[in-house]
Amino acid sequence: MMVLGKLFGRNKVKAISYEESKLLANDKNPKVRAKLAANPHAKPEVLYYLTEDKSSDVRKVVAKNENTPYQANNILAQDENDEVRSELARKICRLLPSLSGDEAGQVREQTIETLELLAADQLPAVRAIVSEALKESLEAPKHIILSLAKDAEEIVASPVLEYSPLLSEADLLEIIASGVATGSLPAIARRKNLAEDVTDAVAATLEVPAVAALLANKSARVREETLDQLISQAEGIETLHEPLVMRVDLSIRAMKRIAGFVASSLVDKLVEKNNLSKEVEKELKKQVKGKIDEANDLDLAESKEQEKKAEKLWSAGRLNEESLQEAVDKRQLDFVHMALCLMSGISVGKVRAILKSRNGKVVTALCWKAKLSMRMAIKMQKEIAHVSPRELVNARDGVEYPFSDKDMDWQLSFFADE
């Protein structure tokens, strides 16, 4: 009772002798051992001994104790229990900012050694704890931040990609070029004061969530020519319309282009947000009214004309890859849709659905069905279906379709007519 009183006193925790610690460390009650492990005055050798405790609850407390020696931390960093490693990760990240100055140099090195183990943990949740804790740190080791930024899991990579001040423009460009974790590219697009070269790289991916995040990022610096490209791409992607309208750096020319394809309610927002002159407002609204009044007749007539052109070429036996490529280059979508319908035997409605799916595999299967080259299939994925570069299906041996006929039939079965 006397020993327990020393350890668990109500007013404050007191230091205990090595002999008393040894007695408590071998107590049958795990709660007693856990309270010993929580004692800030516990001897380093006792805490080290408790890293091998059979109770994960005890080991968790050892992991939380800031006085646990680094050798014990390294053992706990490889503990079989996920919660033990998670608690250790929280502690190590909490301690890191205070480990500065010459006197703390050795301790910092030892702490970083543990941090490296945790940043490479097999469980994404543990790595995510490290990433979240270090995302705005200036004291974190650069190589650990880079490792987290290149992680294959979004929950690990995204925090540092969005916030870490240690990631340079060159780092971000290299990460984008080498491949970002699925779903993490928008995190880069949301970074404050994003440089023009990085915004160019994000825009070039054609990944819709990332482009939407980039457009919504008011501090991102976007070149005019890059914005022009985004406007062209956004025309057929409705989810990009509002982020585009809400950009603060739109020129009058850009506004006129945008007004030509967004909904009238978004044009009203465009006018209101930019405090445009009555003359410009009238011109934009006139453009919208003309678009609404003429769109149905004009679009229908143009659509029918393109479809008839494809049908005539088909009847004459002259509908081929060359004529299709010309239509792709001119963005004559109705011709492309009808041509693929005729060449593949799949209804035009299903062809449209496939191309809107942004699924590289099924678009490739459609081109295979239409007896097009794999080179054409890649062009169709990029320029018509706007498939994300990470989802792009490339050729086998430079020219061959990478899937078997059975696999491609299976892909098309999800869109085939009933």
Side-chain angles (χ1 to χ4, degrees):
M1 290 298 294
M2 196 167 159
V3 173
L4 292 177
K6 285 185 180 180
L7 180 62
F8 309 137
R10 290 184 180 180
N11 296 327
K12 60 181 180 178
V13 179
K14 296 181 179 179
I16 54 176
S17 70
Y18 178 74
E19 289 302 321
E20 291 169 335
S21 297
K22 190 175 178 182
L23 179 65
L24 292 169
N26 289 285
D27 195 284
K28 291 182 179 179
N29 188 342
K31 290 184 178 179
V32 172
R33 304 196 305 274
K35 290 206 172 185
L36 172 64
N39 191 314
H41 302 297
K43 305 290 184 185
E45 55 268 37
V46 172
L47 292 171
Y48 186 90
Y49 174 77
L50 290 174
T51 60
E52 301 292 340
D53 197 282
K54 62 184 178 182
S55 169
S56 61
D57 289 335
V58 174
R59 302 197 306 276
K60 272 197 301 185
V61 179
V62 178
K64 290 173 68 174
N65 193 322
E66 294 186 2
N67 290 324
T68 298
Y70 87 94
Q71 299 97 329
N73 284 334
N74 283 356
I75 291 172
L76 293 169
Q78 300 169 74
D79 195 280
E80 63 181 18
N81 186 278
D82 298 341
E83 292 183 14
V84 171
R85 303 196 312 278
S86 296
E87 286 293 353
L88 180 66
R90 293 185 185 97
K91 178 188 74 177
I92 294 296
C93 293
R94 188 171 64 248
L95 290 176
L96 190 65
S98 64
L99 302 178
S100 58
D102 295 337
E103 294 181 4
Q106 184 178 358
V107 177
R108 179 179 169 85
E109 279 185 31
Q110 294 164 350
T111 303
I112 288 172
E113 186 180 336
T114 305
L115 193 58
E116 287 170 340
L117 291 171
L118 294 167
D121 194 276
Q122 62 181 356
L123 190 71
V126 174
R127 305 197 304 275
I129 289 170
V130 177
S131 181
E132 185 64 30
L134 300 183
K135 66 183 182 183
E136 296 181 279
S137 172
L138 288 168
E139 294 85 11
K142 175 73 175 284
H143 70 281
I144 291 180
I145 293 296
L146 280 172
S147 172
L148 295 168
K150 295 175 181 179
D151 199 280
E153 296 290 339
E154 179 185 354
I155 61 169
V156 180
S158 288
V160 291
L161 285 174
E162 183 169 354
Y163 296 106
S164 179
L166 299 179
L167 293 176
S168 67
E169 181 180 338
D171 292 329
L172 294 170
L173 290 171
E174 191 274 328
I175 289 167
I176 293 171
S178 61
V180 188
T182 303
S184 290
L185 194 59
I188 296 178
R190 290 190 295 266
R191 283 179 71 93
K192 289 183 179 179
N193 302 314
L194 205 60
E196 289 176 335
D197 285 347
V198 183
T199 62
D200 286 351
V202 172
T205 67
L206 301 179
E207 187 172 303
V208 173
V211 172
L214 178 63
L215 291 171
N217 185 349
K218 294 180 181 179
S219 69
R221 299 189 290 277
V222 183
R223 291 188 176 94
E224 187 174 356
E225 53 267 36
T226 303
L227 194 56
D228 282 344
Q229 293 169 10
L230 292 176
I231 291 171
S232 298
Q233 293 160 6
E235 183 169 354
I237 305 173
E238 193 171 339
T239 54
L240 295 180
H241 290 184
E242 185 163 4
L244 191 55
V245 164
M246 300 310 292
R247 282 296 300 178
V248 296
D249 52 357
L250 296 173
S251 64
I252 296 298
R253 182 177 66 84
M255 291 182 202
K256 289 179 180 179
R257 287 186 64 197
I258 293 167
F261 60 80
V262 301
S264 57
S265 60
L266 289 178
V267 174
D268 290 338
K269 280 188 179 182
L270 190 64
V271 170
E272 183 181 350
K273 178 179 71 69
N274 290 281
N275 195 23
L276 298 174
S277 67
K278 291 292 182 183
E279 183 180 343
V280 175
E281 178 182 348
K282 185 177 179 181
E283 186 176 350
L284 289 182
K285 291 191 172 180
K286 181 180 178 183
Q287 185 173 340
V288 173
K289 186 176 185 304
K291 176 185 68 176
I292 295 172
D293 291 343
E294 299 173 15
N296 289 338
D297 291 341
L298 188 61
D299 289 351
L300 184 60
E302 186 177 350
S303 174
K304 291 295 181 185
E305 183 180 342
Q306 288 183 20
E307 288 178 353
K308 284 181 180 177
K309 180 182 176 183
E311 288 170 340
K312 285 181 180 178
L313 288 173
W314 176 256
S315 298
R318 292 190 290 114
L319 182 61
N320 52 31
E321 186 161 319
E322 185 178 349
S323 56
L324 183 58
Q325 181 162 321
E326 183 180 347
V328 170
D329 291 338
K330 292 180 179 178
R331 296 297 186 270
Q332 295 176 336
L333 297 183
D334 292 297
F335 181 98
V336 171
H337 295 157
M338 181 55 72
L340 287 171
C341 162
L342 296 168
M343 297 169 82
S344 67
I346 296 174
S347 74
V348 71
K350 300 297 181 182
V351 167
R352 289 194 184 100
I354 288 171
L355 295 176
K356 284 182 180 179
S357 72
R358 295 171 60 83
N359 183 319
K361 290 181 180 178
V362 75
V363 172
T364 299
L366 173 64
C367 293
W368 164 79
K369 192 74 172 177
K371 296 182 171 58
L372 298 171
S373 69
M374 186 58 204
R375 181 181 177 186
M376 187 64 188
I378 294 172
K379 186 179 182 71
M380 199 71 69
Q381 289 177 80
K382 289 180 177 178
E383 300 182 25
I384 301 297
H386 301 298
V387 174
S388 165
R390 289 204 307 276
E391 306 296 329
L392 203 66
V393 174
N394 288 304
R396 177 167 52 83
D397 298 329
V399 292
E400 301 293 335
Y401 276 92
F403 308 124
S404 68
D405 293 359
K406 184 179 179 181
D407 287 338
M408 286 191 276
D409 275 327
W410 181 78
Q411 290 287 343
L412 290 171
S413 68
F414 292 98
F415 291 86
D417 290 321
E418 296 180 0

